[in-house]
Structure formats: C-alpha cells, structure tokens
C-alpha cells in the first residue's frame, strides 16, 4: 500500500487517515499506535520504521532505503536497524493465520506483509495520554495472556482502594500492575506513581522509597508525616512493587495512607499478601498451558497464552523461527515443563536461536529430571525457575560464568567500561576485549539486556538472574574479591565526578554520574560491613554524599554517615574523618537559607573540629554550614559572628572562595539585622566576583554565593524605596535562573521575588510566583524546605492582605524566619514571637513594621483606654524613627501613613499630612504600588470641617 497523502494546506499539516492491521490502528499524524484501543509503547525511531513499512505494505524496502529514511544525516551500523525491527516484532507479535507481520526477505530487505486497511474515522477520540504526574516505567514488550486479569483488576480498583497482586516470582506481577496502572491512571487527577521496593534494604527505608517516588523530601525524621500530608488531598494510584521483604512496615504505612488519604488507591505486587486492613488479594496464576494428551493444531495451541508467549519471544530472538505442526509438540512440552511461568518461558525462548528448539527441550528436561530425583515432580514455581536458570547457567563457558558472576555485584546496571574494570583480570587472561565479547554473548543469551537509549549503553541483569549469579559467586569464594573491585570502580567514578565538577554544567554532570548513585551507596554499605573497611567506607562517603544530595537520595546516605561516624568515634584518633561525617549529615539536611528550623548539633560539632584541626578549607565550609543553620533558625547575630570570625582570619585577597563566603555571610546578616547600606555594599562585592565556581564539597547548586547576594540586593532595593527596581531585578534573576536551570531558583523566588510581589501588593504576580515555587520545590525534592512557607503565603494570598483571618497563617511551630516575614505581608499575621524578637533587637530588618503592626492592633482594640491609644501613637513614631535610622523608606512610608490616618481628625491633622507628604516625596518610582496608592489616597482625602 502506498497511498498518496492528502493535499497539504499552507498552514497546517493534514490529519492522515489511520491505517489498520489486525487489532492495531496506526495514527500517523498523532504518532500513536493502538492495540485493541490501548496505547502501545514503542520508541520514536521504531514508530518511524513502522509508519514507513505500513505505508509501503506489500513492498520490499531495502535496508539502505530504510536506513536513509530513519537516519538521513547519520552514519549508523546495520545492526541498529535490526534492533528496531526486533523491537517492532516484539510489540506487534504475529498474526495467528499469517505469522509475523514484518517479513525478512533474504538479500533484499524487509516487507510489511499483514493486510492493511484504511480507517476512515480518524477523528475518533484517542485514549488520553497519561497525565503529566504519572511516573510509570515503560512496559518494554507486549504482555501476553493477561488481558482478562488487567480488566478484572481495573474494575476492582473502582470499588477497592487496596489491591495486591500475589504470586510466585517470574509470573509477571510487575508487568500486570503496570498495564493496570496504564489503564486506570486517567481516572486519577494526579495519575499513577511507581514505588520500587526491590532495592530497599531495611524496613526504615520503605517510607523513603515512597517519598522519593512521590517527590516528597527524603530527610531524617518526621518523613512519614510529610509523606501523608503531601498526598492527603491527591487523587492518585500508587503502584508498589516487590513488597515481600518489607511486609510489616509496609502494612503499617499502607493502613495510614488508606486512613488519612481518602482519594489514594494502592496496587501492590508481592509473593505473599501484605496483610494490611482493607487488602483485596488477587492471586496471579501462570499462563495457560495445553492439557496433557490432548491433540492440538497450531491455531488451537495459540489459544493458550504460554504457547503464544513462547512463539512470540522465540520469533523475536530469531526471525527464522516458526510455530509449525512439526515443532508444536516440543513447544507445548517446554511450556508445560516451565509451568507456564512467563519469565522462565522468555528465558527459554531466547535460547532457541543458539541451541535450537530440540536442544532447548532436551537440556531443560535433563536438568528438571536431575533436580527431581529422576522423575518430574510437582516442583514449586520458584524451584522450576531456579532449575531453568541453573540449566541455562551450565550452558555458559567458564569465561562467561566468571564474567556473569562478577557483574552480579552491580545493583542497577553497568556500562561496558564498568564491566571491563570489574570482571577483567589480566592474570587470568581476561583482556578488555575478552570481557566486551563475553558481555555481548551474555546479552545474546538473555542473561543481560541492554538499555540502548542510555549514553553510553548500559547493561542490566534481571533481578532473579542477578540473585542466582550472586549465589554462584559466593559459592565460588570470589564474592569478596568481586565486591572489592566493584568498590574500587565506584571510588574511581567518584574521583572522576570530583574532577568533572568544575568542567561540566550541572545537568551534564548529573547525566554522567546519576546512573552510579545506587551502586555507589551499595559499595559504601558493603565496605563498611568488612572488618577492615571503615577507613575506605569513610573515604567513599566523603564523595558519595554529593551525588546523593543532587539526586535527593538523602535518608540512606544520612543513615550510613551516622553509622560511619559512630564507628569513628568508637575507634577515635581521626578528627578529620569525624568532621567530614558531621558535615555531611548537616549538608544532607539542606544547606541553604530557608524557613525551616534545623538541629544545630552536627554543625556546631563540625565547626569545633575544624577550629581544632586548623584547616582553612574545612573551616570555611563549616562556618558556612553553621551560618546557614543560624540564619534559618532566626539567629542572625550568630550568622554575623560566623562572618566576622572568618573575616578575622586575615583572608588572602587571592582566595576567592574565602572572600566571597565571608562577604556573603556578612551581607545577609547585616541585612537581616537592619544594616541595609552595609549589606548592600557587601552584596555588590559578592556579585562582582566572576568566574568562580564553589568546590565539589560545597556544590554551586547548594551554596550559590551569587544568589544569596542578589537576594539581598533585591530586598534592600524595596526597603530603600525603589519598589519598581526591586521588581525588575527579581524578574531578571528568576528568568536567568530559569534559563540556566539553576537550583538557586527556589531561593530567588521564595526569599526575594515572592516577598517583593507581596510588599508591592501585586497579588496576581504573587500567585504566579507561589505556583512557580511549588513546582520548583517538587521538581527538586525541596518541599520539606518550603512547604510551611507556601502554606502561610497561600493563606495570606487567598484571604487578602487586610483580612484579620490572616492570623491563621502562622502556627505555634512556625519557623522564626517565617514569623518575621508574615507580619510584613499582612499585619494581621503578627505573632508574639515576632514582637519579642523585634523588641529584643534579635531581628532588625522587619522591626519597624512589626512595631507598627502592634500599634495598629492596639488602636483597633475595643474600648481601648486613653493610655493604650497614647502608647500606640508613641510606638508608631518609634517605628518611623527606626525605619529612618535603617534607611528603610518603605517602612517609613507605612508608619507615616498610619500616623496621618490616626491624626486625620484633631489638632495634629496638618502635622500628619505634612509628615506623610514629606516621606512620599522621597519616592521616585513605584507610584502604582499598593503602599504609595494608599498614601496618596490618605493625602487626598477631604478633611472634615471644624
């Protein structure tokens, strides 16, 4: 078929009619493939290949033609085309009557041989694309024989909030769960989320795994409460995979979710029931297998899903394979011996290419008989799969076995270079080339599978295959040797990461090193467990934390750092190593200024050790850490002391890191204490430092000196009476940080742009910025920093700045930084702690406004006594004087406006008008902002006649 496309219009590409074959519909314009109305997941390049083949159905297209169409400006190997053809064949399966839909014509190319028809109703509504919130791993191959199960479970999730899919290993529980999630995710406003518990080593990590998958912050303490709060109002499906090893803690967590999150549903996979309240258990059975002694033809046998799966997977591995009347009995017998277990069938079908169907059948039968004492017994499915793995393992050469065993130490896959470094051994004659060839062979034999989309290509081992290979590795006595080589390699990767830190931008650095994060943590844990591994585990952790922080994998790193610290303290004698662990624990708790109260123990201990050791580099980092803790906890004088201490160390002018760090600490502290002119000058110096990127140990994404100084400049611009300049600077900074994908964006929005918008009274912009901050915090895993801040600000925005109910924005446990700010956004949010801080001079920047808010509260007191009214007027005047002393023209205007309103009737009316007019005259911009409009309205308000 080669139909000419409809005539194109000048403006829009026409919608091409859908093309159908068998149960499939191919929507070319929309670039979607449906199988019985359900979306089929295939790669973009494979979809391109399918479109050109179907559009030329019945014709033979040469490999050269196809490669020119798919890669018009690239040079690729012919094997690349075969990979995509194989992927398509897996996705499309075979026609029961005509066989494979894509034929390989030897010496000529490929042809789409299935019957193709035009589907004229191309305007039919396509199944909705899963919502953006959905985070499901792809189902890499078409699922066979589970349609009824998927339909049943999808229906059950309409009435049951907790469904578990229970069955033996290898039955395809995960694949079924993902298909169900795909089917029902559109019913949920927040879509579906996937939580993989397979790598959870301890019960304490269950909540962290949930939090990581749902973009909830993963820090020590109170994590479960934050998780429940995060999803309390969400309408979502959570798919929880591989539950069997953490059932007790998981059951408790699921019961809390079901109790406190009424719109959340849970779909779990496990080898046994979770046994939580409300659980509805679905026992997943093997695929259907033809009964014994019942003669069948090919069409009848293909009605049994085990046979269908074997035929499809064997064909995908070897396009010469055909299910015929001659080999049907052997295929049926293999499926019976494998008890219809999908994973076992897939493993076995993949061996057909190398050993032929007869060889596969004979070898498998021999192994099963050997395991069952000379006759086939009703072995458990796990034993049957183990038998198949064991038999397949025996078919490997000694070199293949050794390489496979050594590669099983990787937790999440490896590149070819990683495989060479861990499995290669010149002493045994295993050269890098030998290892590469062996890895390729193991891939062909289905022990490894490649992620071709990764750069470089990464090889993975199925979990059951990895467990089997690790069992063999331990039995051989080589486990310790392989684990050490794995740890050696992870240490080398961390050293490379340190070297690449100043050379690569943030995203490029993450792309290169993120794939190693889990294996790095595994290496630390294994090394720490060795009798002589403490020093090496500490050295690994000293670099590993940076990668963990960047990926928000915090809790496991904190646990290991605490274990290492405890061991170091027990042993004694290494204060530098202890310092590094204290420092890491603090850094993983979020080293930045934000409205969240922090525990200062580890920061203070690290600083004391740094002073004891006398290392300038460590001293700077620990002072910064202590500074962030002080400022985030509202201890601004403590922050100033940190900066002054570093300043007193006689910093050399060429030491950009020390100079910039010192000036930033001083700038922020002086601003928060109300010394705005000094703060502004220091901030300008920090911004003037160009071309310096903080060290690997203080990542730029965390310790952005520039961002901290720019925040000071924006805030002081508003305070000094330049509201339009402050707004323009904030917009410029936010846009620049957005364009560069800077992790400092959350601080720029939360501490500069959003406060300035509220102070200006620009509520529409404040709403936009609040949404931006929430999105950024979720994306970066920083909601634990900003959740309370956003809750308070959103309350004020929703109620309005002048609404007395804004008092509800502040709670008894609100952070002091939030307490200070809230009263400046709405005077009704004034908190007693804020008053005490202002009167005790613990905070300066907002003190004039806090005093004004208290005075206005007194003036509004019902039946206020004359003495209280007089006290209120006096405090308004004190507020004005303090604002003038600070050079805070913005606060001075508010105080003058309140005094003019208070004195509007009486002997001081003219004095109040003159006072307000004199302050207002000092403004050269911002005439459309809320405070200036109110001041002008007060001045223009007609005075009552005497």
């Amino acid at each position: 078929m080669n139909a000419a496309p409809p005539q194109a219009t000048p403006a829009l590409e026409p919608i091409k009619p859908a093309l159908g074959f068998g149960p499939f519909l191919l929507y070319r314009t929309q670039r979607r493939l449906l199988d019985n109305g359900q979306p089929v997941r295939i790669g973009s390049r494979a979809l391109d290949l399918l479109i050109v083949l179907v559009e030329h159905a019945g014709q033979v297209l040469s490999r050269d033609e196809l490669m020119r169409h798919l890669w018009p400006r690239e040079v690729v190997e012919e094997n690349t085309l075969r990979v995509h053809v194989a992927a398509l064949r897996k996705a499309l399966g075979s026609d029961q009557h005509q066989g494979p839909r894509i034929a390989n014509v030897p010496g000529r190319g490929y042809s789409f041989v299935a019957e193709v028809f035009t589907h004229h109703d191309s305007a039919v509504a396509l199944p909705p694309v899963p919502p953006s919130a959905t985070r499901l791993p792809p189902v890499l191959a078409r699922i066979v024989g589970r349609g009824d199960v998927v339909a049943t479970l999808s229906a059950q999730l309409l009435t049951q909030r907790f469904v578990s899919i229970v069955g033996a290993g290898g039955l395809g529980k995960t694949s079924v769960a993902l298909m169900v999630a795909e089917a029902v995710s559109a019913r949920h406003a927040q879509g579906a989320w996937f939580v993989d518990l397979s790598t959870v080593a301890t019960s304490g990590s269950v909540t962290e795994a949930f939090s990581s998958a749902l973009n909830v912050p993963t820090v020590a303490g109170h994590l479960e409460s934050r998780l429940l709060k995060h999803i309390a109002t969400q309408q979502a499906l959570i798919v929880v995979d591989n539950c069997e090893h953490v059932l007790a803690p998981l059951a408790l967590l699921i019961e809390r979710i079901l109790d406190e999150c009424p719109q959340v549903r849970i779909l779990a996979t496990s080898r046994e029931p979770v046994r939580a309240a409300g659980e509805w258990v679905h026992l997943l059975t093997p695929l259907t297998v033809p009964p014994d002694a019942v003669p069948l033809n090919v069409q009848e046998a293909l009605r049994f899903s085990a046979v269908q799966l074997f035929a499809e997977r064997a064909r995908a591995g070897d396009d010469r394979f055909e299910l015929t009347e001659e080999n049907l009995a052997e295929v049926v017998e293999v499926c019976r011996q494998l008890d219809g277990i999908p994973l076992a069938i897939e493993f076995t079908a993949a061996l057909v290419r190398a050993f032929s169907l007869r060889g596969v059948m004979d070898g498998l039968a021999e192994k099963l008989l050997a395991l069952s004492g000379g006759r086939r017994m009703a072995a458990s499915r796990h034993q049957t799969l183990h038998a198949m793995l064991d038999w397949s393992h025996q078919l490997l050469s000694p070199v293949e076995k050794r390489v496979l065993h050594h590669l099983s130490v990787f937790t999440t896959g490896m590149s070819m270079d990683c495989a060479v470094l861990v499995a290669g051994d010149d002493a045994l004659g295993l050269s890098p080339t030998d290892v590469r060839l062996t890895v390729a062979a193991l891939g062909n034999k289905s022990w490894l599978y490649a992620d071709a989309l990764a750069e470089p290509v990464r090889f993975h081992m199925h979990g059951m295959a990895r467990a089997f290979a690790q069992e063999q590795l331990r039995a051989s006595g080589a486990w310790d040797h392989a684990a050490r080589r794995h740890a050696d390699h992870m240490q080398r990767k961390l050293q490379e990461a340190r070297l690449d830190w100043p050379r690569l931008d943030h995203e490029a650095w993450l792309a290169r090193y993120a794939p190693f994060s889990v294996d790095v943590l595994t290496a630390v844990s294994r090394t720490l467990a060795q009798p002589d591994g403490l020093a090496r585990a500490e050295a690994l952790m000293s670099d590993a934390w940076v990668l963990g922080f960047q990926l928000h994998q915090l809790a496991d790193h904190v646990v290991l750092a605490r274990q290492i610290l405890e061991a170091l303290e027990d042993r004694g004698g290494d204060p530098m190593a202890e310092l590094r662990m204290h420092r890491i624990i603090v850094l993983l708790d979020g080293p930045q200024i934000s409205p969240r109260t922090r525990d200062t123990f580890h920061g203070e201990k690290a600083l004391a050790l740094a002073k004891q050791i006398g290392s300038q580099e460590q001293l700077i980092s620990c002072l910064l850490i202590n500074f962030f803790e002080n400022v985030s906890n509202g201890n601004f004088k403590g922050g100033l002391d940190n900066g002054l201490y570093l300043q007193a160390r006689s910093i050399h002018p060429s030491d950009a890191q020390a100079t910039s760090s010192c000036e930033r600490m001083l700038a922020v502290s002086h601003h928060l204490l109300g010394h705005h002119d000094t703060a502004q000058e220091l901030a300008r110096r920090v911004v003037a430092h160009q071309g310096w990127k903080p060290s690997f140990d203080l990542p730029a994404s965390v310790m952005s000196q520039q961002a901290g100084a720019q925040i000071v400049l924006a805030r002081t611009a508003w305070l000094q009476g330049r509201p339009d300049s402050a707004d323009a600077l904030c917009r410029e900074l936010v846009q620049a940080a957005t364009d560069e994908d800077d992790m400092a964006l959350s601080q720029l929005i939360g501490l500069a742009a959003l406060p300035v918008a509220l102070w200006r009274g620009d509520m529409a912009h404040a709403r936009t910025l609040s949404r931006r901050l929430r999105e950024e915090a979720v994306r970066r895993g920083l909601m634990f920093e900003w959740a309370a801040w956003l809750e308070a600000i959103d309350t004020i925005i929703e109620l309005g700045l002048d609404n007395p109910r804004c008092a509800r924005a502040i709670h008894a446990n609100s952070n002091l930084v939030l307490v200070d700010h809230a009263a400046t956004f709405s005077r009704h949010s004034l908190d007693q702690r804020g008053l005490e801080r202002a009167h005790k001079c613990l905070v300066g920047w907002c003190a004039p406004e806090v005093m004004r808010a208290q005075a206005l509260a007194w003036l509004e007191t019902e039946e206020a006594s004359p003495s209280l009214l007089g006290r209120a007027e006096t405090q308004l005047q004190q507020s004005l004087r303090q604002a003038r002393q600070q050079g805070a023209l913005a606060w001075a205007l508010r105080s003058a406006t309140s005094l003019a309103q208070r004195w509007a009737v009486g002997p001081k009316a003219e004095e109040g008008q003159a006072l307000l007019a004199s302050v207002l005259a000092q403004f050269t911009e911002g005439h459309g902002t809320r405070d200036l409009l109110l001041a002008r309205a007060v001045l223009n308000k007609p005075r009552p006649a005497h």
Side-chain angles (χ1 to χ4, degrees), residues 815-853:
N815 168 270
L816 293 177
V817 175
L818 174 56
V819 168
D820 291 342
H821 280 78
T824 70
F825 300 150
S826 171
R827 64 184 178 87
H828 300 290
S829 297
L830 181 64
D831 181 88
Q832 184 62 34
R833 289 168 294 169
L835 283 170
E836 292 175 0
R837 286 167 55 75
H839 285 293
K840 292 179 180 179
C841 299
L842 299 177
V843 58
W845 74 273
C846 61
E849 179 63 2
V850 168
M851 294 171 64
R852 185 184 79 94

Side-chain angles (χ1 to χ4, degrees), residues 651-801:
I651 303 170
H652 194 279
S654 64
D655 190 342
Q657 178 175 348
T659 301
S660 182
S661 299
C662 177
E663 290 176 343
R664 181 198 179 181
M665 286 190 278
L666 292 173
V668 172
S669 300
H670 277 300
H671 159 60
L672 294 171
L673 289 170
H675 315 146
H676 304 308
D677 289 338
T678 303
Q680 197 171 65
E681 176 58 31
L682 288 163
R684 288 192 181 114
R685 290 186 205 168
V686 177
V687 173
H689 290 296
Q690 297 294 330
W692 171 67
K693 182 177 182 180
S695 68
F696 179 76
D697 300 294
L698 294 175
S701 58
V702 184
M703 307 292 192
S704 175
Q705 311 285 16
Q706 295 281 316
Q710 289 160 339
I711 288 169
V712 170
L713 291 175
R715 290 166 63 98
T716 55
W718 187 86
L719 287 167
Q720 292 175 339
R722 292 177 284 119
D724 291 345
S725 298
D727 179 58
L729 178 57
C730 287
R731 291 175 188 267
E732 177 185 338
L733 294 174
V734 169
Q735 186 58 55
T738 302
D739 292 342
E740 297 174 9
D741 196 26
D742 191 340
M743 284 186 70
L745 178 59
S746 59
Q747 287 183 285
L748 289 167
I749 296 175
L751 298 177
L754 189 47
V756 167
L758 288 167
W759 292 332
R760 285 169 50 85
D762 189 348
M763 305 308 289
H765 189 43
R767 288 189 185 91
T768 300
L769 289 169
S770 177
R771 288 194 297 269
R772 284 287 307 280
L773 177 56
R774 187 177 299 278
E775 291 168 0
E776 178 68 8
V778 169
R779 185 167 79 95
R780 300 288 190 184
L782 297 173
M783 277 302 290
F784 67 105
E785 299 279 358
W786 296 102
W789 181 263
L790 284 166
E791 180 184 355
I793 287 179
D794 288 346
T795 298
I796 293 171
I797 292 174
E798 179 184 352
L799 295 174
L801 301 180

Side-chain angles (χ1 to χ4, degrees), residues 104-308:
N104 177 17
V105 183
R108 294 183 61 192
Y110 295 94
S111 177
F112 195 84
V113 296
E115 181 179 353
V116 175
F117 59 91
T118 300
H119 184 72
H120 294 287
D121 187 14
S122 294
V124 66
L126 295 176
V129 177
S132 60
T134 296
R135 299 290 185 272
L136 298 174
V139 179
L140 299 177
R142 194 167 79 91
I143 306 302
V144 174
R146 299 301 194 190
D148 291 341
V149 174
V150 170
T152 298
L153 290 170
S154 300
Q156 279 295 333
L157 281 170
L158 290 174
T159 58
Q160 305 291 334
R161 292 185 55 214
F162 175 31
V163 176
S164 58
I165 304 173
V166 175
L171 287 178
K173 298 184 292 293
T174 301
S175 296
V176 170
L178 291 173
M179 291 295 290
V180 173
E182 286 279 9
V184 305
S185 62
R187 303 175 189 164
H188 302 80
Q190 278 71 47
W193 299 84
F194 185 82
V195 181
D196 183 7
L197 299 182
S198 62
T199 59
V200 171
T202 63
S203 61
S205 299
V206 172
T207 305
E208 181 191 344
F210 271 74
S211 299
S212 177
L214 274 64
N215 286 334
V216 180
T218 51
V219 295
H222 308 296
L223 181 57
E224 185 167 306
S225 296
R226 279 196 296 274
L227 165 65
L228 294 168
K229 183 176 181 181
H230 181 70
I231 63 175
T233 60
Q234 294 197 16
Q235 185 185 27
L237 172 69
I238 303 177
V239 179
V240 190
D241 197 31
N242 296 293
C243 304
E244 52 271 359
H245 59 301
V246 286
L247 291 175
L250 178 63
L252 294 175
L253 178 59
I254 287 177
E255 288 180 354
R256 286 202 65 186
I257 291 174
L258 295 176
D259 183 52
E260 300 180 31
C261 309
Q263 298 187 86
V264 172
R265 284 178 163 76
I266 296 175
L267 178 62
T269 72
S270 178
R271 296 190 185 185
E272 59 182 294
V274 179
R275 298 183 179 88
E279 181 181 19
W280 188 86
V281 177
H282 179 91
L283 294 176
L284 189 64
T285 58
L287 299 179
T288 56
V289 178
D292 291 333
V294 176
L296 300 170
N297 58 31
V298 170
Q299 285 71 34
E300 291 169 337
L302 283 171
R303 294 173 186 159
F304 294 89
S305 52
V307 176
Q308 186 181 353

Side-chain angles (χ1 to χ4, degrees), residues 308-605:
Q308 186 181 353
L309 177 63
F310 186 97
E312 286 195 10
R313 298 301 190 261
R315 176 70 181 178
D318 183 355
D319 57 13
R320 297 168 300 176
F321 178 83
E322 297 285 350
L323 183 62
T324 64
E325 299 295 338
E326 287 72 25
N327 62 22
L328 177 60
E330 295 172 339
V331 169
V332 169
E333 182 57 27
V334 167
C335 292
R336 286 174 182 154
Q337 291 194 36
L338 296 175
D339 288 343
I341 299 175
L343 183 59
I345 291 172
E346 293 190 352
F347 261 92
T348 307
L351 297 172
V352 170
R353 177 178 55 189
F355 299 100
S356 79
L357 182 58
R358 169 51 59 183
V360 167
M361 182 181 175
D362 292 343
L364 182 62
E366 288 177 9
K367 192 62 183 176
L368 285 171
L369 286 171
L371 289 176
S372 60
R375 61 185 179 85
R376 187 170 188 274
M377 298 172 63
S380 72
R381 300 185 185 105
H382 180 73
Q383 291 171 330
T384 303
L385 182 56
H386 188 280
M388 187 278 300
L389 288 169
D390 191 32
W391 169 75
S392 181
H393 178 260
Q394 295 303 320
L395 297 176
L396 300 179
S397 69
V399 170
E400 289 172 338
K401 288 179 181 178
R402 185 188 185 283
V403 171
L404 175 69
H405 298 168
H406 277 66
L407 295 186
S408 70
V409 297
F410 286 96
T411 305
T412 56
M414 77 295 296
S415 67
M416 185 65 83
D417 288 342
C418 294
V420 168
L421 290 167
V422 171
D425 194 332
D426 291 333
L428 296 177
L430 272 178
S431 68
T433 300
D434 294 330
V435 175
R436 289 188 176 94
L437 292 173
T438 305
V439 168
L442 290 170
N444 290 334
K445 297 177 180 181
S446 297
W447 282 98
L448 300 176
Y449 64 97
D451 179 3
L453 298 179
E455 180 58 42
V457 174
R458 290 179 64 80
F459 295 87
H460 300 266
M461 197 179 299
H462 286 291
M464 299 188 72
R466 182 170 60 250
F468 178 88
Q470 287 180 352
E471 175 186 295
Q472 301 300 313
L473 182 63
R474 287 188 171 90
S476 71
W479 172 264
D480 289 344
H481 172 73
R484 279 195 299 272
R485 299 197 73 165
H486 175 265
D488 287 342
H489 181 53
M490 291 303 106
Q491 193 159 38
R492 282 192 292 269
K493 298 310 295 184
L494 289 171
Q495 291 167 353
E496 292 173 13
R498 178 179 285 274
L499 292 173
D500 278 339
W501 179 258
R503 298 197 288 248
L504 299 177
D505 63 47
H506 182 251
E507 293 303 318
W509 187 87
L510 273 183
R512 180 171 296 182
Y513 293 106
F516 299 100
S517 61
V518 175
D519 272 291
V520 163
L521 203 59
T522 299
V524 176
S525 180
R526 288 174 182 164
T527 304
L528 183 59
Q530 296 172 358
D532 58 348
L534 177 59
R536 192 172 187 200
E538 188 276 328
L540 279 165
M541 179 55 74
S542 294
D543 287 341
W545 80 269
V546 177
L547 189 56
F549 181 87
Q550 297 297 325
L551 297 170
H552 316 302
Q553 298 167 347
L554 307 180
D556 280 338
H557 287 77
V558 169
V559 169
L560 281 174
R562 291 182 186 277
Q563 291 174 356
I564 294 171
L565 176 60
E566 182 178 350
L568 288 168
E569 291 175 337
D570 289 343
R571 189 183 67 179
D574 195 346
M576 180 63 81
E578 291 181 27
L579 183 156
R580 285 193 290 261
M581 291 304 105
H582 280 296
R583 183 173 156 277
I584 286 170
I585 292 169
V586 178
L587 288 168
L588 290 173
D589 195 35
Q592 57 182 346
I593 300 171
S594 68
R596 182 174 66 89
T597 304
R598 289 179 167 82
D599 177 10
T600 61
F601 170 77
H602 290 286
E604 291 171 352
K605 185 69 175 177

Side-chain angles (χ1 to χ4, degrees), residues 897 901 916 929-939:
T897 301
Q901 289 174 314
L916 179 55
T929 59
R930 182 175 185 269
D931 290 346
L932 272 74
L933 290 172
L934 175 60
R936 189 166 291 107
V938 171
L939 284 176

